Amino acid sequence: MSRTGRNVWLVTARELKAYFATPLAYIFIVIFLILAGAMTFFVGGWMGRGQADLQPFFTFHPWLYLFLVPALSMRLWAEERRTGTIELFLTLPVTMIEAVVGKYLAAWIFTGIALALTFPLWITVNELGNPDNGVIAASYIGSLLMAGAFLAVGSMISATTKNQVIAFVVTTAVLFVFTLAGSNVVLDAIRSFLPDTVVDIVAGFGFLTHFQSIARGVIDLRDAIFFASVIVLALAANALIVDLKKAE
């Protein structure tokens, strides 16, 4: 492993250990599983559909992440800045980008663990019928990519403030705009007075558009590049913001 990879992993392991050192991590996972199950069974009507698939489960992921991911990302940098531990943290023998990527990866892995714990649903639909497991696997990948993009944006916004509540509210608002941009409600509304080219551009910036495309079972390179681009750009801005504000 290269020195950069080793440094990133050291920061990631440090952050992951910190997550599971408090009850908050377990509370987050339990809330995620309860809400995901409730939306699937009671809102999505999974039992009454008579189909062995997980479409109702994945349909609500963007809206579930809209509140749970900001709750996770708000502490990434805001808490370090509020308590003053950011100065100590930045004295570690790692570069700024290694520190940013390491903290981000810890949050993403933690989210992945929460998502992986929904595997009983996958087993259940296989017991009940013959689902298209390729579509389900693609949906899980799309969900993880979308969560990664949400986390990167949340981490960037967390670096701008010492107040976790402000970080949560601003992140939720920003993610809401980018999620809603790809919804049929918005696209149908603007299609009546804007040319198709502009509508396509708005849809192209919508998290929902790219997630739904992957959830159909086809991992298009353009959707993967979109989420990767959001992650890279947000983390680059995150590193720049932390560097500019480290003296405050």
Side-chain angles (χ1 to χ4, degrees):
M1 183 183 291
S2 66
R3 180 178 178 182
T4 297
R6 186 171 61 252
N7 288 343
V8 168
W9 174 245
L10 286 174
V11 175
T12 302
R14 170 187 179 271
E15 292 296 314
L16 270 176
K17 186 178 179 181
Y19 278 126
F20 289 101
T22 68
L24 289 178
Y26 304 98
I27 293 172
F28 177 90
I29 289 174
V30 170
I31 291 175
F32 174 79
L33 295 177
I34 290 175
L35 289 179
M39 288 184 172
T40 301
F41 288 102
F42 301 114
V43 183
W46 183 67
M47 294 296 290
R49 295 178 73 245
Q51 297 181 30
D53 61 26
L54 288 181
Q55 183 184 339
F57 170 64
F58 289 109
T59 296
F60 296 102
H61 277 211
W63 312 109
L64 198 58
Y65 289 152
L66 195 57
F67 295 99
L68 292 182
V69 169
L72 186 62
S73 66
M74 67 182 185
R75 60 170 294 278
L76 285 176
W77 291 102
E79 179 67 8
E80 299 271 12
R81 294 190 62 210
R82 185 187 67 81
T83 59
T85 54
I86 190 171
E87 296 176 3
L88 178 63
F89 179 72
L90 294 178
T91 60
L92 295 174
V94 297
T95 65
M96 181 63 72
I97 194 66
E98 289 169 350
V100 168
V101 173
K103 286 175 76 70
Y104 164 76
L105 282 179
W108 198 8
I109 291 172
F110 178 77
T111 307
I113 292 172
L115 183 62
L117 289 175
T118 63
F119 74 93
L121 284 172
W122 195 348
I123 295 175
T124 301
V125 294
N126 274 277
E127 291 293 328
L128 295 176
N130 296 300
D132 188 332
N133 286 311
V135 172
I136 295 176
S139 299
Y140 267 106
I141 293 172
S143 180
L144 189 60
L145 286 172
M146 182 173 59
F150 274 34
L151 276 170
V153 173
S155 180
M156 176 188 68
I157 294 173
S158 176
T160 64
T161 178
K162 297 179 181 178
N163 190 314
Q164 292 190 48
V165 176
I166 292 176
F168 175 85
V169 172
V170 174
T171 301
T172 302
V174 171
L175 292 178
F176 179 73
V177 170
F178 278 98
T179 300
L180 206 63
S183 70
N184 290 331
V185 175
V186 171
L187 297 180
D188 290 343
I190 64 175
R191 189 171 281 117
S192 60
F193 59 91
L194 290 177
D196 290 343
T197 304
V198 177
V199 175
D200 291 340
I201 291 174
V202 174
F205 282 100
F207 287 114
L208 201 58
T209 305
H210 295 281
F211 171 64
Q212 289 176 337
S213 177
I214 296 176
R216 294 189 188 99
V218 179
I219 303 178
D220 193 307
L221 187 61
R222 290 170 295 183
D223 298 316
I225 290 175
F226 170 77
F227 286 123
S229 299
V230 171
I231 292 170
V232 170
L233 291 174
L235 292 184
N238 190 162
L240 182 62
I241 292 168
V242 173
D243 192 41
L244 291 173
K245 287 181 167 288
K246 63 184 178 183
E248 294 183 9

mmCIF file of all heavy atoms in Angstrom, residues 179-230:
data_model
loop_
_atom_site.group_PDB
_atom_site.id
_atom_site.type_symbol
_atom_site.label_atom_id
_atom_site.label_comp_id
_atom_site.label_asym_id
_atom_site.label_seq_id
_atom_site.Cartn_x
_atom_site.Cartn_y
_atom_site.Cartn_z
ATOM 1 N N THR A 179 -32.105 16.861 -5.554
ATOM 2 C CA THR A 179 -32.913 15.647 -5.690
ATOM 3 C C THR A 179 -34.182 15.949 -6.463
ATOM 4 O O THR A 179 -34.561 15.236 -7.392
ATOM 5 C CB THR A 179 -33.275 15.076 -4.296
ATOM 6 O OG1 THR A 179 -32.074 14.762 -3.596
ATOM 7 C CG2 THR A 179 -34.112 13.805 -4.432
ATOM 8 N N LEU A 180 -34.845 17.029 -6.085
ATOM 9 C CA LEU A 180 -36.114 17.396 -6.712
ATOM 10 C C LEU A 180 -35.930 17.778 -8.186
ATOM 11 O O LEU A 180 -36.862 17.640 -8.980
ATOM 12 C CB LEU A 180 -36.751 18.565 -5.954
ATOM 13 C CG LEU A 180 -38.271 18.686 -6.049
ATOM 14 C CD1 LEU A 180 -38.925 17.453 -5.432
ATOM 15 C CD2 LEU A 180 -38.752 19.940 -5.341
ATOM 16 N N ALA A 181 -34.734 18.239 -8.535
ATOM 17 C CA ALA A 181 -34.480 18.653 -9.922
ATOM 18 C C ALA A 181 -34.727 17.518 -10.907
ATOM 19 O O ALA A 181 -35.054 17.761 -12.069
ATOM 20 C CB ALA A 181 -33.044 19.164 -10.059
ATOM 21 N N GLY A 182 -34.573 16.288 -10.438
ATOM 22 C CA GLY A 182 -34.775 15.151 -11.336
ATOM 23 C C GLY A 182 -36.145 14.509 -11.223
ATOM 24 O O GLY A 182 -36.405 13.493 -11.870
ATOM 25 N N SER A 183 -37.033 15.098 -10.426
ATOM 26 C CA SER A 183 -38.354 14.489 -10.242
ATOM 27 C C SER A 183 -39.289 14.851 -11.388
ATOM 28 O O SER A 183 -39.148 15.890 -12.032
ATOM 29 C CB SER A 183 -38.964 14.955 -8.911
ATOM 30 O OG SER A 183 -39.305 16.325 -8.987
ATOM 31 N N ASN A 184 -40.272 14.000 -11.612
ATOM 32 C CA ASN A 184 -41.238 14.256 -12.686
ATOM 33 C C ASN A 184 -42.055 15.513 -12.412
ATOM 34 O O ASN A 184 -42.485 16.198 -13.341
ATOM 35 C CB ASN A 184 -42.176 13.046 -12.826
ATOM 36 C CG ASN A 184 -41.447 11.839 -13.391
ATOM 37 O OD1 ASN A 184 -40.489 11.977 -14.146
ATOM 38 N ND2 ASN A 184 -41.889 10.648 -13.001
ATOM 39 N N VAL A 185 -42.287 15.807 -11.140
ATOM 40 C CA VAL A 185 -43.084 16.993 -10.786
ATOM 41 C C VAL A 185 -42.417 18.256 -11.330
ATOM 42 O O VAL A 185 -43.051 19.101 -11.984
ATOM 43 C CB VAL A 185 -43.222 17.104 -9.249
ATOM 44 C CG1 VAL A 185 -43.938 18.404 -8.868
ATOM 45 C CG2 VAL A 185 -43.982 15.905 -8.698
ATOM 46 N N VAL A 186 -41.115 18.385 -11.079
ATOM 47 C CA VAL A 186 -40.382 19.574 -11.532
ATOM 48 C C VAL A 186 -40.219 19.561 -13.050
ATOM 49 O O VAL A 186 -40.451 20.571 -13.731
ATOM 50 C CB VAL A 186 -39.004 19.640 -10.843
ATOM 51 C CG1 VAL A 186 -38.146 20.747 -11.462
ATOM 52 C CG2 VAL A 186 -39.174 19.881 -9.351
ATOM 53 N N LEU A 187 -39.828 18.424 -13.592
ATOM 54 C CA LEU A 187 -39.567 18.349 -15.035
ATOM 55 C C LEU A 187 -40.841 18.607 -15.846
ATOM 56 O O LEU A 187 -40.803 19.303 -16.863
ATOM 57 C CB LEU A 187 -38.978 16.976 -15.379
ATOM 58 C CG LEU A 187 -37.614 16.671 -14.743
ATOM 59 C CD1 LEU A 187 -37.124 15.289 -15.138
ATOM 60 C CD2 LEU A 187 -36.579 17.718 -15.141
ATOM 61 N N ASP A 188 -41.978 18.062 -15.387
ATOM 62 C CA ASP A 188 -43.240 18.310 -16.094
ATOM 63 C C ASP A 188 -43.651 19.779 -16.000
ATOM 64 O O ASP A 188 -44.213 20.341 -16.949
ATOM 65 C CB ASP A 188 -44.353 17.427 -15.501
ATOM 66 C CG ASP A 188 -44.145 15.956 -15.844
ATOM 67 O OD1 ASP A 188 -43.363 15.676 -16.766
ATOM 68 O OD2 ASP A 188 -44.755 15.108 -15.176
ATOM 69 N N ALA A 189 -43.349 20.397 -14.838
ATOM 70 C CA ALA A 189 -43.731 21.804 -14.649
ATOM 71 C C ALA A 189 -42.923 22.734 -15.554
ATOM 72 O O ALA A 189 -43.475 23.658 -16.154
ATOM 73 C CB ALA A 189 -43.534 22.191 -13.184
ATOM 74 N N ILE A 190 -41.620 22.489 -15.658
ATOM 75 C CA ILE A 190 -40.787 23.401 -16.458
ATOM 76 C C ILE A 190 -40.845 23.081 -17.946
ATOM 77 O O ILE A 190 -40.494 23.911 -18.780
ATOM 78 C CB ILE A 190 -39.320 23.386 -15.978
ATOM 79 C CG1 ILE A 190 -38.691 22.003 -16.197
ATOM 80 C CG2 ILE A 190 -39.225 23.795 -14.522
ATOM 81 C CD1 ILE A 190 -37.218 21.963 -15.844
ATOM 82 N N ARG A 191 -41.320 21.866 -18.270
ATOM 83 C CA ARG A 191 -41.389 21.484 -19.686
ATOM 84 C C ARG A 191 -42.402 22.334 -20.449
ATOM 85 O O ARG A 191 -42.278 22.508 -21.671
ATOM 86 C CB ARG A 191 -41.757 20.001 -19.792
ATOM 87 C CG ARG A 191 -41.638 19.433 -21.208
ATOM 88 C CD ARG A 191 -41.798 17.927 -21.242
ATOM 89 N NE ARG A 191 -40.570 17.246 -20.830
ATOM 90 C CZ ARG A 191 -40.479 16.469 -19.750
ATOM 91 N NH1 ARG A 191 -41.533 16.292 -18.978
ATOM 92 N NH2 ARG A 191 -39.346 15.871 -19.442
ATOM 93 N N SER A 192 -43.372 22.906 -19.718
ATOM 94 C CA SER A 192 -44.414 23.688 -20.385
ATOM 95 C C SER A 192 -43.924 25.044 -20.881
ATOM 96 O O SER A 192 -44.533 25.654 -21.751
ATOM 97 C CB SER A 192 -45.598 23.886 -19.425
ATOM 98 O OG SER A 192 -45.171 24.579 -18.268
ATOM 99 N N PHE A 193 -42.818 25.540 -20.311
ATOM 100 C CA PHE A 193 -42.356 26.869 -20.750
ATOM 101 C C PHE A 193 -40.857 26.923 -21.061
ATOM 102 O O PHE A 193 -40.334 27.983 -21.401
ATOM 103 C CB PHE A 193 -42.704 27.925 -19.691
ATOM 104 C CG PHE A 193 -42.099 27.660 -18.325
ATOM 105 C CD1 PHE A 193 -40.865 28.192 -18.004
ATOM 106 C CD2 PHE A 193 -42.775 26.891 -17.400
ATOM 107 C CE1 PHE A 193 -40.308 27.961 -16.750
ATOM 108 C CE2 PHE A 193 -42.219 26.646 -16.153
ATOM 109 C CZ PHE A 193 -40.996 27.178 -15.829
ATOM 110 N N LEU A 194 -40.168 25.793 -20.932
ATOM 111 C CA LEU A 194 -38.744 25.772 -21.263
ATOM 112 C C LEU A 194 -38.482 24.757 -22.374
ATOM 113 O O LEU A 194 -39.172 23.735 -22.472
ATOM 114 C CB LEU A 194 -37.911 25.403 -20.029
ATOM 115 C CG LEU A 194 -37.837 26.460 -18.914
ATOM 116 C CD1 LEU A 194 -37.046 25.914 -17.725
ATOM 117 C CD2 LEU A 194 -37.178 27.738 -19.419
ATOM 118 N N PRO A 195 -37.487 25.023 -23.208
ATOM 119 C CA PRO A 195 -37.173 24.058 -24.281
ATOM 120 C C PRO A 195 -36.655 22.738 -23.708
ATOM 121 O O PRO A 195 -36.145 22.684 -22.586
ATOM 122 C CB PRO A 195 -36.093 24.786 -25.092
ATOM 123 C CG PRO A 195 -35.531 25.821 -24.182
ATOM 124 C CD PRO A 195 -36.634 26.222 -23.264
ATOM 125 N N ASP A 196 -36.776 21.697 -24.507
ATOM 126 C CA ASP A 196 -36.377 20.365 -24.049
ATOM 127 C C ASP A 196 -34.902 20.308 -23.645
ATOM 128 O O ASP A 196 -34.526 19.546 -22.749
ATOM 129 C CB ASP A 196 -36.652 19.338 -25.157
ATOM 130 C CG ASP A 196 -38.144 19.105 -25.357
ATOM 131 O OD1 ASP A 196 -38.925 19.479 -24.453
ATOM 132 O OD2 ASP A 196 -38.515 18.582 -26.419
ATOM 133 N N THR A 197 -34.088 21.107 -24.311
ATOM 134 C CA THR A 197 -32.646 21.104 -23.997
ATOM 135 C C THR A 197 -32.410 21.535 -22.554
ATOM 136 O O THR A 197 -31.615 20.926 -21.829
ATOM 137 C CB THR A 197 -31.885 22.062 -24.941
ATOM 138 O OG1 THR A 197 -32.150 21.694 -26.292
ATOM 139 C CG2 THR A 197 -30.385 21.983 -24.679
ATOM 140 N N VAL A 198 -33.120 22.593 -22.143
ATOM 141 C CA VAL A 198 -32.967 23.087 -20.767
ATOM 142 C C VAL A 198 -33.525 22.068 -19.773
ATOM 143 O O VAL A 198 -32.944 21.825 -18.715
ATOM 144 C CB VAL A 198 -33.679 24.449 -20.602
ATOM 145 C CG1 VAL A 198 -33.587 24.919 -19.145
ATOM 146 C CG2 VAL A 198 -33.088 25.475 -21.541
ATOM 147 N N VAL A 199 -34.652 21.454 -20.136
ATOM 148 C CA VAL A 199 -35.246 20.424 -19.271
ATOM 149 C C VAL A 199 -34.265 19.268 -19.073
ATOM 150 O O VAL A 199 -34.090 18.760 -17.961
ATOM 151 C CB VAL A 199 -36.571 19.898 -19.873
ATOM 152 C CG1 VAL A 199 -37.109 18.743 -19.029
ATOM 153 C CG2 VAL A 199 -37.601 21.017 -19.962
ATOM 154 N N ASP A 200 -33.604 18.878 -20.176
ATOM 155 C CA ASP A 200 -32.625 17.781 -20.088
ATOM 156 C C ASP A 200 -31.442 18.169 -19.192
ATOM 157 O O ASP A 200 -30.902 17.335 -18.464
ATOM 158 C CB ASP A 200 -32.122 17.415 -21.483
ATOM 159 C CG ASP A 200 -33.204 16.749 -22.328
ATOM 160 O OD1 ASP A 200 -34.180 16.244 -21.732
ATOM 161 O OD2 ASP A 200 -33.061 16.744 -23.564
ATOM 162 N N ILE A 201 -31.031 19.441 -19.258
ATOM 163 C CA ILE A 201 -29.912 19.903 -18.420
ATOM 164 C C ILE A 201 -30.305 19.857 -16.946
ATOM 165 O O ILE A 201 -29.543 19.391 -16.097
ATOM 166 C CB ILE A 201 -29.501 21.338 -18.825
ATOM 167 C CG1 ILE A 201 -28.864 21.329 -20.215
ATOM 168 C CG2 ILE A 201 -28.526 21.924 -17.797
ATOM 169 C CD1 ILE A 201 -28.558 22.713 -20.754
ATOM 170 N N VAL A 202 -31.534 20.337 -16.642
ATOM 171 C CA VAL A 202 -32.020 20.300 -15.258
ATOM 172 C C VAL A 202 -32.091 18.859 -14.759
ATOM 173 O O VAL A 202 -31.657 18.540 -13.646
ATOM 174 C CB VAL A 202 -33.408 20.975 -15.151
ATOM 175 C CG1 VAL A 202 -33.979 20.792 -13.741
ATOM 176 C CG2 VAL A 202 -33.301 22.459 -15.482
ATOM 177 N N ALA A 203 -32.622 17.972 -15.612
ATOM 178 C CA ALA A 203 -32.719 16.551 -15.234
ATOM 179 C C ALA A 203 -31.331 15.953 -15.029
ATOM 180 O O ALA A 203 -31.135 15.094 -14.165
ATOM 181 C CB ALA A 203 -33.470 15.780 -16.307
ATOM 182 N N GLY A 204 -30.364 16.448 -15.812
ATOM 183 C CA GLY A 204 -29.006 15.917 -15.717
ATOM 184 C C GLY A 204 -28.335 16.211 -14.390
ATOM 185 O O GLY A 204 -27.410 15.512 -13.976
ATOM 186 N N PHE A 205 -28.787 17.277 -13.713
ATOM 187 C CA PHE A 205 -28.221 17.629 -12.407
ATOM 188 C C PHE A 205 -29.011 17.002 -11.255
ATOM 189 O O PHE A 205 -28.668 17.212 -10.096
ATOM 190 C CB PHE A 205 -28.182 19.153 -12.235
ATOM 191 C CG PHE A 205 -27.045 19.801 -12.984
ATOM 192 C CD1 PHE A 205 -27.257 20.405 -14.207
ATOM 193 C CD2 PHE A 205 -25.762 19.791 -12.460
ATOM 194 C CE1 PHE A 205 -26.205 20.998 -14.909
ATOM 195 C CE2 PHE A 205 -24.703 20.367 -13.142
ATOM 196 C CZ PHE A 205 -24.928 20.970 -14.380
ATOM 197 N N GLY A 206 -30.055 16.253 -11.577
ATOM 198 C CA GLY A 206 -30.890 15.678 -10.520
ATOM 199 C C GLY A 206 -30.352 14.340 -10.031
ATOM 200 O O GLY A 206 -30.101 13.434 -10.832
ATOM 201 N N PHE A 207 -30.167 14.213 -8.734
ATOM 202 C CA PHE A 207 -29.729 12.933 -8.167
ATOM 203 C C PHE A 207 -30.742 11.836 -8.482
ATOM 204 O O PHE A 207 -30.390 10.690 -8.741
ATOM 205 C CB PHE A 207 -29.574 13.057 -6.647
ATOM 206 C CG PHE A 207 -28.383 13.855 -6.221
ATOM 207 C CD1 PHE A 207 -28.531 15.065 -5.573
ATOM 208 C CD2 PHE A 207 -27.099 13.386 -6.454
ATOM 209 C CE1 PHE A 207 -27.431 15.802 -5.179
ATOM 210 C CE2 PHE A 207 -25.988 14.118 -6.056
ATOM 211 C CZ PHE A 207 -26.154 15.332 -5.415
ATOM 212 N N LEU A 208 -32.031 12.223 -8.437
ATOM 213 C CA LEU A 208 -33.104 11.258 -8.646
ATOM 214 C C LEU A 208 -33.032 10.636 -10.036
ATOM 215 O O LEU A 208 -33.219 9.424 -10.202
ATOM 216 C CB LEU A 208 -34.456 11.954 -8.437
ATOM 217 C CG LEU A 208 -35.661 11.080 -8.112
ATOM 218 C CD1 LEU A 208 -35.421 10.276 -6.852
ATOM 219 C CD2 LEU A 208 -36.914 11.939 -7.977
ATOM 220 N N THR A 209 -32.746 11.466 -11.042
ATOM 221 C CA THR A 209 -32.684 10.986 -12.421
ATOM 222 C C THR A 209 -31.655 9.875 -12.567
ATOM 223 O O THR A 209 -31.914 8.810 -13.140
ATOM 224 C CB THR A 209 -32.318 12.141 -13.371
ATOM 225 O OG1 THR A 209 -33.249 13.198 -13.188
ATOM 226 C CG2 THR A 209 -32.332 11.686 -14.812
ATOM 227 N N HIS A 210 -30.446 10.114 -12.021
ATOM 228 C CA HIS A 210 -29.359 9.147 -12.184
ATOM 229 C C HIS A 210 -29.581 7.898 -11.329
ATOM 230 O O HIS A 210 -29.246 6.790 -11.750
ATOM 231 C CB HIS A 210 -28.031 9.825 -11.832
ATOM 232 C CG HIS A 210 -27.676 10.942 -12.774
ATOM 233 N ND1 HIS A 210 -27.131 10.720 -14.016
ATOM 234 C CD2 HIS A 210 -27.839 12.291 -12.666
ATOM 235 C CE1 HIS A 210 -26.951 11.882 -14.641
ATOM 236 N NE2 HIS A 210 -27.369 12.852 -13.835
ATOM 237 N N PHE A 211 -30.165 8.079 -10.130
ATOM 238 C CA PHE A 211 -30.423 6.911 -9.293
ATOM 239 C C PHE A 211 -31.489 6.016 -9.923
ATOM 240 O O PHE A 211 -31.343 4.788 -9.975
ATOM 241 C CB PHE A 211 -30.863 7.352 -7.897
ATOM 242 C CG PHE A 211 -31.342 6.205 -7.047
ATOM 243 C CD1 PHE A 211 -30.477 5.184 -6.667
ATOM 244 C CD2 PHE A 211 -32.668 6.126 -6.645
ATOM 245 C CE1 PHE A 211 -30.921 4.114 -5.901
ATOM 246 C CE2 PHE A 211 -33.119 5.065 -5.883
ATOM 247 C CZ PHE A 211 -32.239 4.055 -5.506
ATOM 248 N N GLN A 212 -32.573 6.629 -10.411
ATOM 249 C CA GLN A 212 -33.643 5.843 -11.023
ATOM 250 C C GLN A 212 -33.157 5.106 -12.268
ATOM 251 O O GLN A 212 -33.607 3.994 -12.554
ATOM 252 C CB GLN A 212 -34.822 6.752 -11.373
ATOM 253 C CG GLN A 212 -35.587 7.243 -10.149
ATOM 254 C CD GLN A 212 -36.701 8.215 -10.488
ATOM 255 O OE1 GLN A 212 -36.671 8.860 -11.539
ATOM 256 N NE2 GLN A 212 -37.671 8.342 -9.605
ATOM 257 N N SER A 213 -32.223 5.727 -12.985
ATOM 258 C CA SER A 213 -31.666 5.076 -14.170
ATOM 259 C C SER A 213 -30.923 3.800 -13.784
ATOM 260 O O SER A 213 -31.099 2.747 -14.400
ATOM 261 C CB SER A 213 -30.713 6.046 -14.883
ATOM 262 O OG SER A 213 -30.103 5.416 -15.991
ATOM 263 N N ILE A 214 -30.106 3.871 -12.727
ATOM 264 C CA ILE A 214 -29.364 2.683 -12.270
ATOM 265 C C ILE A 214 -30.321 1.660 -11.673
ATOM 266 O O ILE A 214 -30.155 0.447 -11.856
ATOM 267 C CB ILE A 214 -28.301 3.093 -11.231
ATOM 268 C CG1 ILE A 214 -27.249 4.008 -11.885
ATOM 269 C CG2 ILE A 214 -27.618 1.863 -10.644
ATOM 270 C CD1 ILE A 214 -26.208 4.544 -10.915
ATOM 271 N N ALA A 215 -31.340 2.140 -10.953
ATOM 272 C CA ALA A 215 -32.284 1.234 -10.287
ATOM 273 C C ALA A 215 -33.102 0.410 -11.269
ATOM 274 O O ALA A 215 -33.746 -0.568 -10.884
ATOM 275 C CB ALA A 215 -33.211 2.030 -9.374
ATOM 276 N N ARG A 216 -33.084 0.788 -12.545
ATOM 277 C CA ARG A 216 -33.784 -0.022 -13.558
ATOM 278 C C ARG A 216 -32.982 -1.269 -13.915
ATOM 279 O O ARG A 216 -33.448 -2.136 -14.643
ATOM 280 C CB ARG A 216 -34.036 0.811 -14.818
ATOM 281 C CG ARG A 216 -35.010 1.962 -14.610
ATOM 282 C CD ARG A 216 -35.399 2.608 -15.931
ATOM 283 N NE ARG A 216 -36.177 3.816 -15.715
ATOM 284 C CZ ARG A 216 -35.664 5.044 -15.761
ATOM 285 N NH1 ARG A 216 -34.380 5.212 -16.043
ATOM 286 N NH2 ARG A 216 -36.416 6.102 -15.530
ATOM 287 N N GLY A 217 -31.744 -1.320 -13.414
ATOM 288 C CA GLY A 217 -30.934 -2.516 -13.643
ATOM 289 C C GLY A 217 -29.788 -2.330 -14.604
ATOM 290 O O GLY A 217 -29.047 -3.267 -14.880
ATOM 291 N N VAL A 218 -29.632 -1.109 -15.128
ATOM 292 C CA VAL A 218 -28.551 -0.841 -16.074
ATOM 293 C C VAL A 218 -27.631 0.231 -15.485
ATOM 294 O O VAL A 218 -28.066 1.354 -15.249
ATOM 295 C CB VAL A 218 -29.095 -0.353 -17.435
ATOM 296 C CG1 VAL A 218 -27.943 -0.061 -18.388
ATOM 297 C CG2 VAL A 218 -30.036 -1.394 -18.022
ATOM 298 N N ILE A 219 -26.384 -0.140 -15.221
ATOM 299 C CA ILE A 219 -25.431 0.839 -14.688
ATOM 300 C C ILE A 219 -24.758 1.543 -15.861
ATOM 301 O O ILE A 219 -23.776 1.064 -16.420
ATOM 302 C CB ILE A 219 -24.394 0.156 -13.770
ATOM 303 C CG1 ILE A 219 -25.103 -0.587 -12.632
ATOM 304 C CG2 ILE A 219 -23.433 1.190 -13.198
ATOM 305 C CD1 ILE A 219 -24.169 -1.328 -11.715
ATOM 306 N N ASP A 220 -25.350 2.668 -16.247
ATOM 307 C CA ASP A 220 -24.822 3.470 -17.350
ATOM 308 C C ASP A 220 -23.586 4.224 -16.864
ATOM 309 O O ASP A 220 -23.577 4.774 -15.758
ATOM 310 C CB ASP A 220 -25.897 4.463 -17.816
ATOM 311 C CG ASP A 220 -25.538 5.105 -19.157
ATOM 312 O OD1 ASP A 220 -24.423 5.653 -19.259
ATOM 313 O OD2 ASP A 220 -26.365 5.056 -20.076
ATOM 314 N N LEU A 221 -22.563 4.260 -17.706
ATOM 315 C CA LEU A 221 -21.310 4.937 -17.338
ATOM 316 C C LEU A 221 -21.551 6.406 -17.017
ATOM 317 O O LEU A 221 -20.908 6.975 -16.142
ATOM 318 C CB LEU A 221 -20.292 4.800 -18.480
ATOM 319 C CG LEU A 221 -18.871 5.304 -18.193
ATOM 320 C CD1 LEU A 221 -18.265 4.528 -17.032
ATOM 321 C CD2 LEU A 221 -18.000 5.170 -19.440
ATOM 322 N N ARG A 222 -22.523 7.017 -17.717
ATOM 323 C CA ARG A 222 -22.804 8.444 -17.485
ATOM 324 C C ARG A 222 -23.340 8.686 -16.070
ATOM 325 O O ARG A 222 -23.025 9.690 -15.440
ATOM 326 C CB ARG A 222 -23.815 8.958 -18.519
ATOM 327 C CG ARG A 222 -23.264 9.066 -19.930
ATOM 328 C CD ARG A 222 -24.357 9.331 -20.935
ATOM 329 N NE ARG A 222 -25.284 8.185 -21.009
ATOM 330 C CZ ARG A 222 -26.303 8.125 -21.863
ATOM 331 N NH1 ARG A 222 -26.524 9.121 -22.706
ATOM 332 N NH2 ARG A 222 -27.098 7.065 -21.872
ATOM 333 N N ASP A 223 -24.138 7.749 -15.565
ATOM 334 C CA ASP A 223 -24.653 7.902 -14.201
ATOM 335 C C ASP A 223 -23.538 7.729 -13.178
ATOM 336 O O ASP A 223 -23.459 8.476 -12.195
ATOM 337 C CB ASP A 223 -25.759 6.870 -13.952
ATOM 338 C CG ASP A 223 -26.941 7.054 -14.888
ATOM 339 O OD1 ASP A 223 -27.355 8.207 -15.083
ATOM 340 O OD2 ASP A 223 -27.430 6.042 -15.423
ATOM 341 N N ALA A 224 -22.662 6.745 -13.423
ATOM 342 C CA ALA A 224 -21.533 6.529 -12.512
ATOM 343 C C ALA A 224 -20.598 7.735 -12.518
ATOM 344 O O ALA A 224 -20.117 8.164 -11.459
ATOM 345 C CB ALA A 224 -20.780 5.265 -12.908
ATOM 346 N N ILE A 225 -20.354 8.291 -13.716
ATOM 347 C CA ILE A 225 -19.477 9.464 -13.824
ATOM 348 C C ILE A 225 -20.095 10.662 -13.112
ATOM 349 O O ILE A 225 -19.391 11.453 -12.475
ATOM 350 C CB ILE A 225 -19.195 9.798 -15.309
ATOM 351 C CG1 ILE A 225 -18.289 8.721 -15.909
ATOM 352 C CG2 ILE A 225 -18.558 11.177 -15.454
ATOM 353 C CD1 ILE A 225 -18.038 8.889 -17.400
ATOM 354 N N PHE A 226 -21.423 10.803 -13.216
ATOM 355 C CA PHE A 226 -22.093 11.924 -12.538
ATOM 356 C C PHE A 226 -21.845 11.861 -11.026
ATOM 357 O O PHE A 226 -21.418 12.847 -10.417
ATOM 358 C CB PHE A 226 -23.595 11.878 -12.813
ATOM 359 C CG PHE A 226 -24.382 12.846 -11.960
ATOM 360 C CD1 PHE A 226 -24.408 14.203 -12.249
ATOM 361 C CD2 PHE A 226 -25.084 12.389 -10.839
ATOM 362 C CE1 PHE A 226 -25.116 15.094 -11.446
ATOM 363 C CE2 PHE A 226 -25.790 13.271 -10.035
ATOM 364 C CZ PHE A 226 -25.809 14.629 -10.339
ATOM 365 N N PHE A 227 -22.120 10.695 -10.425
ATOM 366 C CA PHE A 227 -21.941 10.592 -8.978
ATOM 367 C C PHE A 227 -20.460 10.742 -8.594
ATOM 368 O O PHE A 227 -20.139 11.397 -7.591
ATOM 369 C CB PHE A 227 -22.480 9.246 -8.472
ATOM 370 C CG PHE A 227 -23.984 9.175 -8.433
ATOM 371 C CD1 PHE A 227 -24.673 8.190 -9.119
ATOM 372 C CD2 PHE A 227 -24.717 10.102 -7.696
ATOM 373 C CE1 PHE A 227 -26.061 8.126 -9.084
ATOM 374 C CE2 PHE A 227 -26.112 10.049 -7.652
ATOM 375 C CZ PHE A 227 -26.776 9.054 -8.349
ATOM 376 N N ALA A 228 -19.567 10.166 -9.401
ATOM 377 C CA ALA A 228 -18.127 10.282 -9.119
ATOM 378 C C ALA A 228 -17.680 11.743 -9.213
ATOM 379 O O ALA A 228 -16.871 12.207 -8.391
ATOM 380 C CB ALA A 228 -17.330 9.416 -10.089
ATOM 381 N N SER A 229 -18.217 12.463 -10.191
ATOM 382 C CA SER A 229 -17.846 13.872 -10.363
ATOM 383 C C SER A 229 -18.305 14.716 -9.178
ATOM 384 O O SER A 229 -17.572 15.581 -8.693
ATOM 385 C CB SER A 229 -18.469 14.427 -11.655
ATOM 386 O OG SER A 229 -18.006 13.710 -12.771
ATOM 387 N N VAL A 230 -19.545 14.456 -8.720
ATOM 388 C CA VAL A 230 -20.058 15.187 -7.553
ATOM 389 C C VAL A 230 -19.164 14.934 -6.339
ATOM 390 O O VAL A 230 -18.800 15.867 -5.601
ATOM 391 C CB VAL A 230 -21.508 14.767 -7.241
ATOM 392 C CG1 VAL A 230 -21.962 15.374 -5.899
ATOM 393 C CG2 VAL A 230 -22.444 15.205 -8.350
#
